[in-house]
Amino acid sequence: MCGIFGVFIKKESDYNSEFIVKVLSNIALQSQARGKDSSGLSFIDYNNNTINVFKGAISISRLMKSVELKDFNASYQPSQLVEKGYPYSVIGHARLVTNGSQLHNINNQPVIKDGIIGIHNGIIVNVDELWAEASELERHYAIDTEILLALIRNYLVHGDNLQVSLSNTMRQIYGTVSTALLFNDRLKAVLATNNGSLYVLKNQKDFIVFASEEYFLHQLDSAVNLKRIIGDFDIEQILPNSGLIIDLLTIDCLKFNFDQTNSDFKEDLINEKLKILAHEVNGGTKQEVVLDINKIHLHPAAKTESKLLQNNYSQINTLSRCTKCLLPETFPFIFYDERGVCNYCNNYKPKNHEEPISRLLELVEPYRKTDNKPDCLVPFSGGRDSTYTLHLIKNVLKLNPIAFTYDWGMVTDLGRRNIARVCGKLGVENIIVSADIHWKRKNINKNIRAWLKNPDLGMIPLFMAGDKYFFYYTDKIKKQTGINLNIWGINPLENTDFKVGFCGIKPDFNKKRIYSLNILSQLKLMNHVAKNMLITPSYFNISIFDTLGSFASRYMAPKKDYYHMFDYYPWNEKEIEEVIIKEYKWETAIDTRTTWRIGDGTAGFYNYVYYTVAGFSEYDTFRSNQIREGMLTREEGLKLIEEENQPRYASIKWYLDIINLDFASTIKRINSIPKLYM
């Protein structure tokens, strides 16, 4: 989940070095929005027959300012290169870490393998299976990109031409791949994608720039006055399951599709292979460790640490509960009538399937485009509901969507892998906005430390404030792409009013959306937060502006051309799980059987706090809504929450480690909080 970019300029063009460097710098810095964990650049210097690779665990903006790159650029003048009859070729990468820690530079991109230099946006989810099948190939790195390069080279070695080698390789891959490749033995570059997250800007004679998003290329045009300098140009998407082979001497492009199993593509190998020189750029090593949640349970400390987690089921089971749903007496503002039925049940209005899908088809018709251009933006967390929503938009509404993901540092690798599975399978472009993840995690750390000094259940949503910018960036991406239609996969049964209920805010049984809050309730919420901040001054930290921004994004941001799939299509848990697991090979978690919120790194932690202190969690409210909708019996619901409220050690461990909090001391402090049921 990264940003890839590059510049190719034909030999003997007349662009000066200042312009060329400005183009590269601009497209690189824009691509940084997709990831700041690490970065890399690869330059072909045909004058010296070398390919120079610079990479490190720093952002692309820092890499561009590094001493190593400045020293290289002093001798590598782009204008002098093209004047001497050599093309200018550079590819680059701004990485959001997925497979392989960025602290090990071999896992950073560009990746060098068997004379191929590659950059890759996406995740190859069947990477281990591919290595097992190709047992004759040798694996050196943790990063998934290596298998892509190894397979391509293997096909080339066995006599296939470049086009067929690329097609054969891409058909074997499950997940998402948008890639750019250079070679030490041929004067060609390759751009290829299986989900369409790759765009090319090209004039008619000598100039190509590519990037992961069309918007970046439009911004480049305005930033460097591109049309005045290079003349007329076109911006074109490389469509899903297709690619370009670029002749670096002539800038001619050959289009190909992955379904081609043979071709008469002709290529000449160069007489002298280009020497590859790798330069490690440190710029200060990050201390943060990249963790794999799926391996945490194997850690030697797992057995000892997991025993610290409380499960007070026997005490919680003695609580009085609604005779119709599952809500206990500790639930905020709850009361029961003479039949033992709670006020939440008595005031409940059915929410599932309010209007038929035919109505949504009518509503989206004016937005539909007939020129193969994207016509719908889908906020895509990688969770089960947004996955199924994307499935319906593509297969039922027959729209051409772009999936948008906001990664604020709490999307787990499991969530990212599921995003890759779905976008790759559907051939859907995935626009990613990556927050300053290290800063976001520091904010969570500071707020939890403050909370532990004076625990208040009403302040727990502060831990998740950083993700509410999803709303803000959705509106921003709509403007950037020119797409008006926005369809969300928010499940109306996920209403969690108890979170603000602990702030003294009574439930609003007539609100339209689960995320809405009227003005009076917003004021009460701010008052509760302010009181806690005055009691615990540690809340006054660098995160305060992030928190205020998230509040505005969630409650105040305008929402136009905005629809919810499950207002028109019945939400059915079994149907959704069957489709996402069977059709998309959706990955489930190791520490719970539920498929709900498993890609969200925060859920295991805050649900542990709610259940341990208050005797219920989000699962109780969710299953209660299903009971009210007639989807579950009360007995079925009770069995489910008994299992789902089990502490999720692997998820909690990952969360506390990733935000740099000690597991043992944090859990012991939570366990010491006075219980509402004792």
Side-chain angles (χ1 to χ4, degrees):
M1 308 297 185
C2 313
I4 63 174
F5 57 90
V7 181
F8 305 122
I9 298 176
K10 186 179 177 181
K11 65 179 181 177
E12 298 174 351
S13 61
D14 57 0
Y15 306 117
N16 63 49
S17 292
E18 182 182 359
F19 168 72
I20 296 172
V21 171
K22 192 174 182 180
V23 168
L24 176 61
S25 298
N26 185 277
I27 201 67
L29 293 176
Q30 289 193 74
S31 299
Q32 185 172 258
R34 283 174 157 252
K36 299 176 183 178
D37 291 323
S38 65
S39 61
L41 291 165
S42 182
F43 299 84
I44 298 185
D45 181 357
Y46 291 107
N47 189 28
N48 296 305
N49 285 331
T50 60
I51 302 177
N52 287 273
V53 177
F54 298 85
K55 58 181 180 176
I58 56 177
S59 66
I60 191 66
S61 59
R62 291 181 64 193
L63 181 71
M64 299 286 284
K65 298 174 183 177
S66 68
V67 173
E68 294 89 342
L69 200 58
K70 285 182 178 179
D71 288 345
F72 172 75
N73 283 330
S75 60
Y76 181 79
Q77 290 292 322
S79 60
Q80 293 178 15
L81 194 71
V82 295
E83 285 171 5
K84 290 179 180 179
Y86 301 107
Y88 176 81
S89 307
V90 56
I91 60 175
H93 191 270
R95 186 182 182 209
L96 174 64
V97 169
T98 50
N99 295 75
S101 169
Q102 84 276 21
L103 302 183
H104 301 291
N105 211 38
I106 58 173
N107 292 321
N108 292 326
Q109 300 201 34
V111 174
I112 304 166
K113 178 75 172 180
D114 298 333
I116 303 176
I117 299 91
I119 52 176
H120 164 215
N121 168 37
I123 301 177
I124 301 171
V125 296
N126 63 332
V127 58
D128 292 333
E129 293 90 333
L130 290 173
W131 280 115
E133 291 168 6
S135 57
E136 74 279 12
L137 303 181
E138 191 172 350
R139 184 177 189 177
H140 296 286
Y141 316 142
I143 192 167
D144 54 347
T145 309
E146 184 186 10
I147 188 62
L148 172 70
L149 310 186
L151 290 173
I152 293 170
R153 178 58 75 186
N154 194 46
Y155 282 114
L156 290 171
V157 167
H158 285 85
D160 290 319
N161 65 29
L162 185 55
Q163 181 179 332
V164 172
S165 298
L166 291 161
S167 296
N168 287 342
T169 298
M170 295 295 275
R171 287 198 305 273
Q172 290 181 252
I173 287 170
Y174 198 79
T176 50
V177 172
S178 292
T179 188
L181 308 171
L182 299 173
F183 303 84
N184 72 336
D185 56 354
R186 43 189 37 87
L187 300 181
K188 300 290 189 290
V190 169
L191 303 178
T193 177
N194 67 355
N195 73 326
S197 291
L198 203 53
Y199 290 83
V200 175
L201 182 155
K202 186 179 186 297
N203 70 1
Q204 298 303 312
K205 52 177 183 173
D206 58 8
F207 187 93
I208 293 175
V209 181
F210 71 89
S212 296
E213 293 181 30
E214 183 179 14
Y215 175 72
F216 296 163
L217 298 176
H218 285 294
Q219 287 296 100
L220 175 65
D221 175 30
S222 59
V224 301
N225 203 1
L226 207 56
K227 189 172 184 179
R228 181 180 66 81
I229 299 173
I230 72 168
D232 291 336
F233 61 83
D234 296 314
I235 297 176
E236 184 178 354
Q237 183 184 24
I238 300 179
L239 296 176
N241 298 311
S242 69
L244 291 179
I245 298 175
I246 302 170
D247 187 312
L248 294 176
L249 295 178
T250 64
I251 309 298
D252 291 335
C253 297
L254 172 71
K255 295 182 179 180
F256 68 96
N257 296 316
F258 298 165
D259 59 1
Q260 294 175 279
T261 56
N262 56 69
S263 84
D264 55 2
F265 171 74
K266 303 295 183 183
E267 58 176 339
D268 297 318
L269 300 183
I270 59 179
N271 293 325
E272 182 181 352
K273 290 184 179 180
L274 300 171
K275 184 178 181 180
I276 302 172
L277 301 177
H279 308 269
E280 184 171 342
V281 184
N282 291 316
T285 304
K286 295 182 179 71
Q287 297 302 309
E288 188 169 348
V289 177
V290 178
L291 301 169
D292 184 348
I293 195 171
N294 288 303
K295 295 179 180 177
I296 285 173
H297 70 300
L298 300 175
H299 192 277
K303 287 186 177 180
T304 302
E305 288 184 333
S306 62
K307 290 178 181 177
L308 294 174
L309 295 169
Q310 289 184 355
N311 183 6
N312 301 319
Y313 174 75
S314 57
Q315 296 98 319
I316 292 170
N317 199 36
T318 63
L319 288 170
S320 297
R321 293 181 183 269
C322 174
T323 55
K324 182 176 181 180
C325 73
L326 310 174
L327 299 188
E329 59 187 285
T330 53
F331 203 84
F333 295 102
I334 197 167
F335 59 85
Y336 307 106
D337 63 16
E338 65 279 0
R339 300 168 299 154
V341 178
C342 72
N343 52 318
Y344 289 87
C345 284
N346 286 329
N347 288 280
Y348 188 79
K349 298 177 178 62
K351 295 177 174 62
N352 195 28
H353 193 201
E354 294 181 356
E355 297 188 62
I357 192 66
S358 58
R359 175 58 180 152
L360 183 57
L361 279 163
E362 292 174 7
L363 291 170
V364 304
E365 194 58 36
Y367 302 94
R368 194 182 300 276
K369 296 181 181 178
T370 57
D371 56 359
N372 207 33
K373 293 285 188 181
D375 46 21
C376 175
L377 187 67
V378 184
F380 188 40
S381 67
R384 64 183 186 183
D385 294 333
S386 61
T387 293
Y388 196 64
T389 295
L390 194 61
H391 166 84
L392 293 173
I393 288 169
K394 189 79 173 177
N395 295 297
V396 176
L397 299 184
K398 303 295 184 182
L399 292 167
N400 184 16
I402 289 178
F404 157 60
T405 302
Y406 175 59
D407 195 325
W408 66 293
M410 288 298 124
V411 178
T412 65
D413 278 353
L414 181 150
R416 292 170 178 169
R417 288 193 294 271
N418 282 334
I419 289 170
R421 285 179 169 90
V422 177
C423 289
K425 174 80 171 179
L426 288 173
V428 168
E429 180 183 354
N430 183 211
I431 290 180
I432 303 151
V433 173
S434 173
D436 187 336
I437 286 175
H438 307 287
W439 182 67
K440 288 276 190 181
R441 289 172 178 169
K442 285 181 181 178
N443 290 345
I444 300 171
N445 174 291
K446 289 181 179 295
N447 284 329
I448 292 181
R449 286 183 185 277
W451 182 83
L452 290 170
K453 293 177 181 179
N454 185 34
D456 181 294
L457 295 180
M459 295 292 284
I460 289 178
L462 202 64
F463 310 162
M464 295 84 78
D467 76 330
K468 302 304 180 289
Y469 284 89
F470 220 127
F471 293 90
Y472 167 79
Y473 282 109
T474 298
D475 190 56
K476 188 173 181 178
I477 297 298
K478 285 172 68 175
K479 293 175 182 176
Q480 291 177 356
T481 58
I483 297 172
N484 292 321
L485 179 60
N486 181 207
I487 301 179
W488 288 69
I490 294 175
N491 183 349
L493 305 184
E494 293 181 4
N495 191 10
T496 53
D497 278 340
F498 70 87
K499 293 177 182 177
V500 294
F502 284 122
C503 297
I505 298 171
K506 293 181 179 180
D508 180 359
F509 296 114
N510 297 310
K511 69 179 183 179
K512 176 65 175 174
R513 299 292 174 207
I514 64 173
Y515 51 78
S516 61
L517 208 59
N518 61 45
I519 298 296
L520 180 59
S521 295
Q522 289 179 35
L523 292 173
K524 286 183 177 180
L525 176 61
M526 287 189 287
N527 182 59
H528 184 86
V529 171
K531 284 182 178 179
N532 273 271
M533 293 179 75
L534 290 173
I535 294 170
T536 310
S538 300
Y539 282 120
F540 290 99
N541 56 58
I542 59 171
S543 73
I544 194 165
F545 296 107
D546 194 38
T547 301
L548 290 171
S550 70
F551 182 89
S553 297
R554 175 160 187 162
Y555 296 117
M556 300 178 184
K559 298 173 177 63
K560 293 178 60 180
D561 304 295
Y562 192 94
Y563 299 98
H564 290 72
M565 176 60 71
F566 297 116
D567 284 351
Y568 306 92
Y569 192 93
W571 187 91
N572 184 301
E573 188 170 25
K574 290 182 179 179
E575 176 186 317
I576 290 171
E577 289 182 336
E578 183 174 355
V579 168
I580 65 176
I581 292 172
K582 288 185 177 180
E583 189 162 339
Y584 297 100
K585 301 178 182 177
W586 211 69
E587 186 177 351
T588 56
I590 63 168
D591 58 356
T592 181
R593 289 177 62 185
T594 183
T595 56
W596 186 37
R597 295 209 196 285
I598 59 174
D600 178 355
T602 67
F605 178 76
Y606 68 69
N607 277 317
Y608 176 76
V609 177
Y610 283 128
Y611 187 71
T612 301
V613 178
F616 67 90
S617 73
E618 287 181 321
Y619 298 111
D620 298 64
T621 61
F622 178 62
R623 297 305 182 187
S624 290
N625 282 333
Q626 285 185 292
I627 292 168
R628 296 178 190 121
E629 293 282 347
M631 298 176 178
L632 290 177
T633 65
R634 187 172 184 274
E635 290 69 29
E636 289 171 333
L638 285 169
K639 289 180 181 178
L640 285 170
I641 64 169
E642 180 181 353
E643 180 180 337
E644 291 165 347
N645 281 323
Q646 296 282 334
R648 295 177 59 189
Y649 167 72
S651 297
I652 297 169
K653 173 66 174 173
W654 179 90
Y655 178 76
L656 293 176
D657 282 357
I658 213 78
I659 61 173
N660 197 28
L661 283 176
D662 178 69
F663 182 91
S665 59
T666 302
I667 296 303
K668 287 177 182 178
R669 177 68 182 104
I670 292 168
N671 294 345
S672 71
I673 299 171
K675 311 297 189 287
L676 301 185
Y677 48 86
M678 292 183 178

